[in-house]
Coordinates of all heavy atoms in Angstrom, one line a residue:
A1 N 2.5 0.5 6.2 CA 2.1 1.9 6.3 C 0.5 2.0 6.0 O -0.1 1.4 5.0 CB 2.7 2.8 5.4
L2 N -0.2 2.7 6.8 CA -1.6 2.9 6.8 C -2.0 4.3 6.1 O -1.3 5.2 6.4 CB -2.2 3.0 8.2 CG -3.8 3.2 8.2 CD1 -4.5 1.8 7.9 CD2 -4.2 3.5 9.7
T3 N -3.0 4.3 5.2 CA -3.4 5.4 4.5 C -4.1 6.4 5.5 O -4.6 5.9 6.5 CB -4.1 5.2 3.3 OG1 -5.4 4.6 3.7 CG2 -3.5 4.3 2.4
G4 N -4.5 7.5 5.1 CA -5.4 8.3 5.7 C -6.9 8.0 5.4 O -7.1 7.0 4.5
K5 N -7.9 8.8 5.8 CA -9.2 8.5 5.5 C -9.4 8.7 4.0 O -9.0 9.7 3.4 CB -10.0 9.3 6.2 CG -11.6 9.2 5.9 CD -12.4 10.4 6.8 CE -13.8 10.4 6.3 NZ -14.6 11.3 7.0
L6 N -10.0 7.7 3.3 CA -10.3 8.0 1.8 C -11.7 7.2 1.5 O -12.2 6.4 2.2 CB -9.1 7.5 1.0 CG -8.5 6.2 1.3 CD1 -9.3 5.0 0.9 CD2 -7.0 6.1 0.7
V7 N -12.0 7.4 0.2 CA -13.1 6.6 -0.4 C -12.5 5.5 -1.3 O -11.8 5.8 -2.1 CB -14.1 7.5 -1.1 CG1 -15.1 6.5 -1.7 CG2 -14.8 8.4 -0.2
L8 N -12.8 4.3 -1.1 CA -12.3 3.2 -1.9 C -12.7 3.2 -3.2 O -14.0 3.6 -3.5 CB -12.5 1.9 -1.2 CG -12.0 1.6 0.2 CD1 -12.5 0.3 0.9 CD2 -10.5 1.6 0.3
V9 N -12.0 2.7 -4.3 CA -12.4 2.6 -5.6 C -13.6 1.6 -5.7 O -14.5 1.7 -6.6 CB -11.4 2.1 -6.4 CG1 -11.8 1.9 -7.9 CG2 -10.2 3.1 -6.4
Q10 N -13.6 0.7 -4.6 CA -14.8 -0.3 -4.8 C -16.3 0.3 -4.4 O -17.1 -0.4 -4.5 CB -14.4 -1.4 -3.8 CG -13.3 -2.3 -4.3 CD -12.0 -1.8 -3.8 OE1 -11.8 -0.7 -3.6 NE2 -11.0 -2.8 -3.5
E11 N -16.1 1.4 -3.7 CA -17.5 1.9 -3.4 C -18.4 2.4 -4.6 O -17.8 3.1 -5.4 CB -17.1 3.2 -2.4 CG -16.4 2.8 -1.1 CD -17.3 2.0 -0.2 OE1 -18.4 2.0 -0.4 OE2 -16.7 1.6 0.8
Y12 N -19.6 2.2 -4.5 CA -20.6 2.5 -5.4 C -22.0 2.6 -4.7 O -22.2 1.9 -3.8 CB -20.5 1.9 -6.7 CG -20.9 0.3 -6.6 CD1 -22.2 -0.1 -6.7 CD2 -19.9 -0.6 -6.2 CE1 -22.4 -1.5 -6.6 CE2 -20.2 -1.9 -6.0 CZ -21.6 -2.3 -6.3 OH -21.8 -3.7 -6.1
G13 N -22.8 3.1 -5.4 CA -24.4 3.0 -4.8 C -24.6 4.0 -3.7 O -23.8 5.1 -3.5
S14 N -25.5 3.6 -2.9 CA -25.9 4.6 -1.8 C -25.2 4.2 -0.5 O -25.5 5.1 0.5 CB -27.4 4.5 -1.6 OG -27.7 3.1 -1.3
E15 N -24.5 3.2 -0.3 CA -23.9 2.8 1.0 C -22.3 3.1 1.0 O -21.5 2.3 1.4 CB -24.1 1.4 1.2 CG -25.6 1.0 1.3 CD -25.9 -0.5 1.6 OE1 -24.8 -1.2 1.7 OE2 -27.0 -0.8 1.9
I16 N -22.0 4.2 0.5 CA -20.6 4.6 0.4 C -20.1 5.1 1.9 O -20.8 5.7 2.6 CB -20.3 5.8 -0.5 CG1 -20.6 5.5 -1.9 CG2 -18.8 6.5 -0.4 CD1 -20.5 6.5 -2.9
Q17 N -19.0 4.5 2.2 CA -18.4 4.8 3.5 C -16.9 4.9 3.5 O -16.4 4.7 2.6 CB -18.8 3.7 4.5 CG -18.3 2.3 4.0 CD -18.6 1.1 5.0 OE1 -17.8 0.7 5.8 NE2 -19.8 0.5 4.9
P18 N -16.4 5.5 4.5 CA -14.9 5.8 4.6 C -14.2 4.4 4.5 O -14.7 3.5 5.0 CB -14.7 6.6 5.8 CG -16.0 7.1 6.2 CD -16.9 6.1 5.8
G19 N -12.8 4.6 4.1 CA -12.1 3.4 4.0 C -10.7 3.7 4.3 O -10.4 4.8 4.3
F20 N -9.8 2.7 4.3 CA -8.5 2.9 4.4 C -7.7 1.6 4.0 O -8.3 0.6 3.9 CB -8.0 3.2 5.8 CG -8.4 2.3 6.9 CD1 -7.9 1.2 7.2 CD2 -9.7 2.4 7.5 CE1 -8.2 0.2 8.2 CE2 -10.2 1.6 8.5 CZ -9.4 0.4 9.0
L21 N -6.5 1.7 3.6 CA -5.6 0.6 3.2 C -4.3 0.5 3.9 O -3.8 1.6 4.4 CB -5.3 0.7 1.6 CG -6.6 1.0 0.6 CD1 -6.7 2.4 0.3 CD2 -6.2 0.1 -0.6
I22 N -3.8 -0.8 4.0 CA -2.5 -0.9 4.6 C -1.6 -1.6 3.6 O -1.9 -2.5 3.0 CB -2.7 -1.9 5.9 CG1 -3.7 -1.3 6.8 CG2 -1.2 -2.0 6.6 CD1 -3.9 -2.3 8.0
Y23 N -0.3 -0.9 3.4 CA 0.6 -1.3 2.4 C 1.9 -1.9 3.1 O 2.3 -1.5 4.2 CB 1.1 -0.2 1.5 CG 0.0 0.4 0.7 CD1 -0.7 1.8 1.2 CD2 -0.4 -0.1 -0.4 CE1 -1.7 2.1 0.3 CE2 -1.3 0.5 -1.2 CZ -2.0 1.7 -0.8 OH -2.9 2.2 -1.6
L24 N 2.5 -3.0 2.5 CA 3.8 -3.5 2.8 C 4.6 -3.7 1.5 O 4.1 -4.3 0.6 CB 3.7 -4.8 3.6 CG 5.0 -5.4 4.1 CD1 5.5 -4.4 5.2 CD2 4.8 -6.7 4.6
P25 N 5.7 -3.1 1.5 CA 6.6 -3.1 0.1 C 7.1 -4.4 -0.1 O 7.4 -5.2 0.8 CB 7.7 -2.0 0.6 CG 7.9 -2.0 1.9 CD 6.6 -2.2 2.5
I26 N 7.1 -4.7 -1.3 CA 7.8 -5.9 -1.9 C 9.0 -5.6 -2.7 O 8.9 -4.7 -3.7 CB 7.0 -6.7 -2.7 CG1 5.6 -7.2 -2.0 CG2 7.6 -8.0 -3.4 CD1 6.0 -8.0 -0.8
Y27 N 10.3 -5.9 -2.4 CA 11.5 -5.5 -3.0 C 11.9 -6.7 -4.0 O 11.7 -7.8 -3.7 CB 12.6 -5.2 -2.0 CG 12.2 -4.1 -1.2 CD1 12.0 -4.3 0.3 CD2 12.0 -2.8 -1.6 CE1 11.6 -3.4 1.1 CE2 11.8 -1.7 -0.7 CZ 11.5 -2.0 0.7 OH 11.1 -1.0 1.4
A28 N 12.6 -6.2 -5.0 CA 13.2 -7.3 -6.0 C 14.3 -7.9 -5.6 O 15.4 -8.0 -6.5 CB 13.2 -6.6 -7.3
Q29 N 14.5 -8.2 -4.4 CA 15.7 -9.1 -3.8 C 15.2 -9.8 -2.7 O 14.3 -9.4 -1.9 CB 16.9 -8.1 -3.6 CG 16.6 -7.0 -2.6 CD 17.9 -6.1 -2.6 OE1 18.0 -5.3 -3.6 NE2 18.5 -6.0 -1.5
A30 N 15.9 -10.8 -2.3 CA 15.5 -11.7 -1.3 C 15.7 -11.0 0.2 O 14.8 -11.2 1.1 CB 16.3 -13.0 -1.2
T31 N 16.7 -10.2 0.4 CA 16.9 -9.5 1.6 C 16.5 -8.1 1.4 O 16.6 -7.5 0.4 CB 18.4 -9.5 2.1 OG1 19.2 -9.1 1.1 CG2 18.7 -11.1 2.4
E32 N 15.9 -7.5 2.6 CA 15.5 -6.1 2.4 C 16.6 -5.1 2.3 O 17.6 -5.2 3.1 CB 14.6 -5.8 3.8 CG 14.2 -4.4 3.7 CD 13.3 -4.2 5.0 OE1 12.7 -5.0 5.7 OE2 13.3 -2.9 5.4
P33 N 16.6 -4.2 1.4 CA 17.6 -3.2 1.3 C 17.8 -2.4 2.6 O 16.7 -2.2 3.2 CB 17.1 -2.3 0.2 CG 16.1 -3.1 -0.7 CD 15.5 -3.9 0.4
V34 N 19.0 -2.0 2.9 CA 19.3 -1.3 4.2 C 18.9 0.3 3.9 O 18.4 0.8 5.0 CB 20.7 -1.6 4.5 CG1 21.0 -0.7 5.7 CG2 21.0 -2.9 4.7
T35 N 19.3 0.9 2.9 CA 19.2 2.4 2.9 C 17.9 2.7 2.1 O 17.4 2.0 1.4 CB 20.4 3.0 2.1 OG1 20.4 2.5 0.7 CG2 21.7 2.7 2.8
V36 N 17.5 4.0 2.2 CA 16.3 4.4 1.6 C 16.5 4.4 0.1 O 15.6 4.0 -0.7 CB 16.0 5.9 2.1 CG1 14.8 6.5 1.4 CG2 15.5 5.9 3.6
A37 N 17.7 4.9 -0.3 CA 18.0 4.9 -1.8 C 17.8 3.4 -2.4 O 17.4 3.2 -3.5 CB 19.3 5.5 -2.1
A38 N 18.4 2.5 -1.7 CA 18.3 1.2 -2.1 C 17.1 0.6 -2.1 O 16.6 -0.2 -3.1 CB 19.3 0.3 -1.3
R39 N 16.2 1.0 -1.2 CA 14.8 0.5 -1.1 C 14.0 1.0 -2.3 O 13.1 0.4 -2.8 CB 14.1 0.9 0.1 CG 14.7 0.1 1.4 CD 14.0 0.6 2.7 NE 14.5 0.0 3.9 CZ 14.7 0.4 5.0 NH1 14.5 1.7 5.3 NH2 15.2 -0.4 6.0
R40 N 14.2 2.3 -2.6 CA 13.6 2.9 -3.7 C 14.0 2.3 -4.9 O 13.1 2.0 -5.9 CB 13.7 4.4 -3.7 CG 13.3 5.1 -2.6 CD 13.5 6.7 -2.6 NE 13.0 7.3 -1.6 CZ 13.0 8.7 -1.3 NH1 13.8 9.4 -2.1 NH2 12.4 9.2 -0.4
A41 N 15.3 2.0 -5.2 CA 15.7 1.4 -6.4 C 15.3 -0.1 -6.7 O 15.0 -0.5 -7.6 CB 17.3 1.4 -6.5
A42 N 15.0 -0.8 -5.4 CA 14.6 -2.2 -5.5 C 13.1 -2.5 -5.4 O 12.7 -3.6 -5.5 CB 15.3 -3.1 -4.5
L43 N 12.4 -1.4 -5.4 CA 11.0 -1.6 -5.1 C 10.3 -2.2 -6.3 O 10.5 -1.9 -7.5 CB 10.3 -0.1 -4.9 CG 8.7 -0.3 -4.7 CD1 8.5 -1.0 -3.4 CD2 8.1 1.2 -4.7
R44 N 9.5 -3.2 -6.0 CA 8.8 -4.1 -6.9 C 7.3 -3.8 -7.0 O 6.7 -3.8 -8.0 CB 9.0 -5.6 -6.7 CG 8.4 -6.5 -7.6 CD 8.7 -8.0 -7.3 NE 7.9 -8.9 -8.0 CZ 7.9 -10.3 -7.7 NH1 8.7 -10.7 -6.8 NH2 7.3 -11.1 -8.4
G45 N 6.9 -3.6 -5.8 CA 5.4 -3.3 -5.7 C 5.0 -3.2 -4.2 O 5.8 -3.3 -3.3
F46 N 3.7 -3.6 -4.0 CA 3.2 -3.6 -2.6 C 2.1 -4.6 -2.4 O 1.3 -4.9 -3.3 CB 2.5 -2.3 -2.2 CG 3.4 -1.1 -2.3 CD1 3.5 -0.3 -3.5 CD2 4.1 -0.7 -1.1 CE1 4.5 0.7 -3.5 CE2 5.0 0.5 -1.2 CZ 5.2 1.2 -2.5
V47 N 2.2 -5.4 -1.3 CA 1.0 -6.1 -1.0 C 0.1 -5.3 0.0 O 0.7 -4.4 0.8 CB 1.4 -7.4 -0.3 CG1 2.1 -8.4 -1.1 CG2 2.3 -7.1 0.9
Y48 N -1.1 -5.3 -0.1 CA -2.0 -4.4 0.7 C -3.3 -5.1 1.0 O -3.6 -6.1 0.4 CB -2.2 -3.2 -0.1 CG -3.2 -3.3 -1.4 CD1 -4.5 -3.1 -1.1 CD2 -2.7 -3.9 -2.4 CE1 -5.4 -3.1 -2.2 CE2 -3.4 -4.1 -3.6 CZ -4.9 -3.7 -3.5 OH -5.7 -3.7 -4.6

């Protein structure tokens, strides 16, 4: 999932520019949960 337009936390100084991030969920089980409820319950974090 891609974010909308934003300013990254890493930006500072006079060369600030727009940025965006791409996320992919990491679940706390080897196989991906099937339902939305199961995915929310098994969420461990995100690689991005």
Side-chain angles (χ1 to χ4, degrees):
L2 178 75
T3 68
K5 175 184 176 182
L6 50 76
V7 176
L8 301 172
V9 178
Q10 290 94 323
E11 295 290 352
Y12 64 91
S14 60
E15 297 182 354
I16 295 177
Q17 58 181 265
F20 52 90
L21 303 98
I22 306 176
Y23 295 99
L24 184 66
I26 301 298
Y27 300 108
Q29 57 188 68
T31 57
E32 180 180 332
V34 177
T35 66
V36 172
R39 289 173 180 150
R40 292 178 177 180
L43 183 66
R44 178 179 173 187
F46 300 86
V47 288
Y48 71 97

